Amino acid sequence: MRVPRANSREKILAAAADVAREAGPGSLSLEAVASRAGVSKGGLLYNFPTKAKLMQGLVENYLSDFRKALEARAAEASRESVLSAYIKLSADDCERPKPSASWMFSAIAEDPDFLTPIKAFKHQLFERLKGETEDLGSLLVCFLAIEGMRSMNLFDSDVLSEDERKLLVSSLLKIAG
Amino acid sequence: MRVPRANSREKILAAAADVAREAGPGSLSLEAVASRAGVSKGGLLYNFPTKAKLMQGLVENYLSDFRKALEARAAEASRESVLSAYIKLSADDCERPKPSASWMFSAIAEDPDFLTPIKAFKHQLFERLKGETEDLGSLLVCFLAIEGMRSMNLFDSDVLSEDERKLLVSSLLKIAG
DNA sequence: TTGACAAGACCGTCCAGCCGGTACAGTAAA
DNA sequence: TTTACTGTACCGGCTGGACGGTCTTGTCAA
C-alpha cells in the first residue's frame, strides 16, 4: 500500500461524520462528503468505491477507535476493572455535547446490517465483563445504564444536567465496585 | 374498487411502522406506505399532506400511546411508584423481539427535529420521577438503564438473553424500592 | 511511467408533491 | 321522488429534481 499524498481516507471519514452531524443524517450524500472533505467526487469514489464501503469504513473506524481507547484506559489503571474503564470512557465520550456518531443513522437508513459489527462488539464486550464481574445483576444495571447514556448522547437528548451525569457516573462506579 | 370507508389514518400509521420495521428505515417511502396500507398515493397524501406530517403523526401517535400505557400502569397499582410502572412498561415493550419503532430512524433522517416532542416528554417524565424519588442516584441509574434497554430494543440488538433481561428488571425494581 | 487523485459530464433510478379526475354521501330544492 | 349541487374521501398518472454510481480525461508528484 503506497502512501497517499495526504491521508484522504481519514479526511473523508471525518468529513462524513461532520456532514451527518451538522446537516443531519439524511443529508449524507457522496457529493456532500466529497465537498466537505475538500475532495472531488471522483477522489472520494477512488477511496471508497461505493457508499456502502464508506459506511463500512465509518463503522470500522469507529470500532477500532473504541477498542484502542478502551484498551488504553484499561491498561493505564490496571488495578481497575474493565467495567470501570468502560464507564469512564463512556462518560468522557458523552461529555462532548455534540453527538459524534450521527452517521450511524445514515448507516441504518442505508442498511441496518451495517451495524452488526457494532452489535457483535458490544456482545463481546459484555461477555468479557461477565467474566470479570461476580454480581451479574450489578453488571447488567451498569452496562445498560451506560448504554442509555450513550444512546441519549447519540440522540442529542439533553435530559440530564451536567451534575446529574456526574452523579450517575459516580453511582455506577460505586455499583461496579 | 373501494371497499370500506374505514379510518385510514390509523391504517396508514400502522403501515408506515410496518414498512420501516420490515423493509428498513431507509425504505419508508410514501409509495411503500400507501401500498402497504391498501391506499393509493393520493389517498395517503389526502390524510397526510406531506411526508413531514406523516412523521409528525407517527411521533404523536407513539407519544399518546406511551402516555396512556404509563398512566394505565400507574393507576392499576396506585401503591407502586411511577418509576416502577415505567420499568415494567418498558420491560414489556422490550419483551417483543420486534423493534416497533424503526420509523424513528426514518424520522431522524428526514429531520432530527421530529424527535423533539419525544425528548420533551422524556425530560418531563424524568422531572416527574425526580419529585417522587428521594435518592437521585438510584433514579438516575434506573432511568438510564431503562433508556439503555429501550435503545437496545430499538437497534434490534440482542446482547442480553431472556433471563438476563428479567434479572435486570428485578434488579432495577429493587433499586427503585 | 504510474499511482493518487481532480474535475465533471452523464445516466438510470427513485421519490415527493401536485393535479385532474372519480365515486360516493348528504342535502335540499323542485 | 327526482334532480342538482356540494363536500369528502380517494385514485393514479406525471414531473421536476436529487442522488448514486460510472466513465473519461487531465494533472502532478514520486
Side-chain angles (χ1 to χ4, degrees):
Chain A
M1 189 154 79
R2 294 293 174 111
V3 180
R5 227 184 282 172
N7 198 345
S8 295
R9 257 190 85 93
E10 293 185 6
K11 264 200 323 186
I12 290 171
L13 290 175
D18 288 348
V19 168
R21 189 182 60 243
E22 289 170 18
S27 306
L28 191 75
S29 69
L30 295 188
E31 271 163 5
V33 172
S35 150
R36 176 74 185 225
V39 161
S40 72
K41 203 174 166 185
L44 170 57
L45 268 301
Y46 180 83
N47 286 277
F48 299 95
T50 164
K51 193 179 189 184
K53 292 283 182 190
L54 176 60
M55 297 301 185
Q56 198 179 323
L58 280 167
V59 170
E60 284 165 5
N61 194 53
Y62 171 81
L63 274 185
S64 86
D65 283 359
F66 198 94
R67 280 206 181 86
K68 276 180 211 156
L70 184 60
E71 240 49 62
R73 291 240 173 201
E76 92 185 6
S78 56
R79 295 186 44 199
E80 280 185 349
S81 61
V82 177
L83 179 55
S84 298
Y86 180 44
I87 294 173
K88 288 178 185 172
L89 173 63
S90 301
D92 284 4
D93 284 351
C94 296
E95 201 88 6
R96 291 182 292 240
K98 298 273 177 181
S100 56
S102 305
W103 54 264
M104 278 194 197
F105 297 126
S106 318
I108 291 182
E110 187 77 13
D111 183 353
D113 288 341
F114 281 128
L115 294 197
T116 30
I118 296 183
K119 292 179 197 170
F121 171 73
K122 287 239 170 90
H123 198 272
Q124 189 182 327
L125 175 59
F126 182 62
E127 292 300 319
R128 180 175 169 189
L129 292 175
K130 270 204 278 191
E132 183 194 72
T133 320
E134 71 277 10
D135 182 15
L136 181 58
S138 301
L139 170 59
L140 282 167
V141 171
C142 282
F143 192 75
L144 270 288
I146 298 173
E147 196 62 26
M149 201 170 63
R150 301 191 81 94
S151 153
M152 284 205 152
N153 180 260
L154 182 61
F155 282 92
D156 199 20
S157 183
D158 49 353
V159 168
L160 304 189
S161 71
E162 186 72 17
D163 291 342
E164 285 166 346
R165 197 163 49 234
K166 281 179 183 167
L167 176 57
L168 169 69
V169 171
S170 71
S171 299
L172 288 180
L173 287 173
K174 197 179 295 174
I175 294 177
Chain B
M1 194 152 81
R2 204 165 52 249
V3 198
R5 298 246 167 183
N7 192 349
S8 293
R9 258 191 84 92
E10 293 185 7
K11 263 199 325 188
I12 290 170
L13 289 175
D18 288 348
V19 168
R21 189 182 60 243
E22 291 170 17
S27 306
L28 191 75
S29 68
L30 294 189
E31 270 164 2
V33 172
S35 148
R36 176 72 183 228
V39 161
S40 76
K41 208 173 161 191
L44 169 59
L45 267 301
Y46 179 82
N47 287 277
F48 298 95
T50 163
K51 195 180 188 184
K53 293 281 181 189
L54 176 60
M55 297 301 186
Q56 198 179 322
L58 281 167
V59 170
E60 284 165 5
N61 194 53
Y62 171 81
L63 275 185
S64 84
D65 282 0
F66 198 107
R67 281 207 182 87
K68 277 180 212 158
L70 184 60
E71 241 48 63
R73 291 238 174 203
E76 89 185 8
S78 56
R79 296 186 44 196
E80 281 185 348
S81 62
V82 178
L83 180 54
S84 299
Y86 180 45
I87 294 174
K88 289 178 185 172
L89 174 62
S90 301
D92 284 3
D93 283 352
C94 296
E95 201 87 5
R96 291 182 293 237
K98 311 241 183 180
S100 55
S102 305
W103 55 264
M104 277 194 198
F105 296 127
S106 317
I108 291 181
E110 188 75 13
D111 183 352
D113 288 341
F114 281 127
L115 293 197
T116 30
I118 296 182
K119 292 178 196 169
F121 172 72
K122 286 238 171 90
H123 194 87
Q124 189 181 328
L125 175 60
F126 182 61
E127 292 302 319
R128 180 174 169 190
L129 292 175
K130 271 204 276 190
E132 184 194 73
T133 320
E134 72 276 10
D135 182 14
L136 182 57
S138 303
L139 170 59
L140 282 167
V141 171
C142 281
F143 192 75
L144 270 289
I146 297 174
E147 197 61 29
M149 201 170 63
R150 300 191 80 96
S151 152
M152 284 204 152
N153 179 260
L154 182 61
F155 282 92
D156 200 19
S157 183
D158 49 354
V159 168
L160 303 190
S161 70
E162 186 72 17
D163 290 342
E164 285 165 346
R165 197 163 48 235
K166 282 180 184 168
L167 176 56
L168 169 69
V169 171
S170 72
S171 299
L172 289 180
L173 286 173
K174 197 179 293 175
I175 295 176

